[in-house]
Amino acid sequence: MKATIQTQGKQYTVQEGDVLIVNRYPQTEAGSKLEINEVLTVGEGEAFKLGAPYVDGAKVSATILENKRGRKIVVFKKKAKKGYERRRGHRQELSVIKIDSIES
């Protein structure tokens, strides 16, 4: 069964057993269970349900496999002929989650 979920402002189409990398869930650790209630669509074929905006009673259960940091990106600013240069780095906080079950 497939479902389209919305979490942290982004939408993902998932199946049971899928592994996703999403923005970090605050105050969680590896092994924590999640319940995502913002399900936009659920099912396939004849059993397909479309929410307005969410499907009532549908939920997706997930487990956090690990919390990690993404790769480093460099933010470089420069103004020509002025001698202004700024270099900063950024690493995004991420959670790796595994979809356990989809309930409609």
Side-chain angles (χ1 to χ4, degrees), residues 10-47:
K10 296 182 182 178
Q11 296 178 4
Y12 301 94
T13 300
V14 297
Q15 292 181 341
E16 292 181 10
D18 283 356
V19 176
L20 296 175
I21 299 175
V22 298
N23 289 336
R24 179 169 291 179
Y25 286 95
Q27 290 89 32
T28 58
E29 297 178 6
S32 300
K33 301 286 184 186
L34 292 175
E35 193 169 284
I36 302 167
N37 295 319
E38 296 177 340
V39 180
L40 302 170
T41 65
V42 67
E44 294 179 286
E46 296 294 322

Side-chain angles (χ1 to χ4, degrees), residues 39-71:
V39 180
L40 302 170
T41 65
V42 67
E44 294 179 286
E46 296 294 322
F48 182 77
K49 293 181 190 173
L50 181 64
Y54 304 120
V55 178
D56 292 332
K59 64 182 177 180
V60 174
S61 299
T63 303
I64 295 182
L65 300 178
E66 69 174 313
N67 288 324
K68 65 179 188 174
R69 299 180 77 191
R71 66 180 185 83

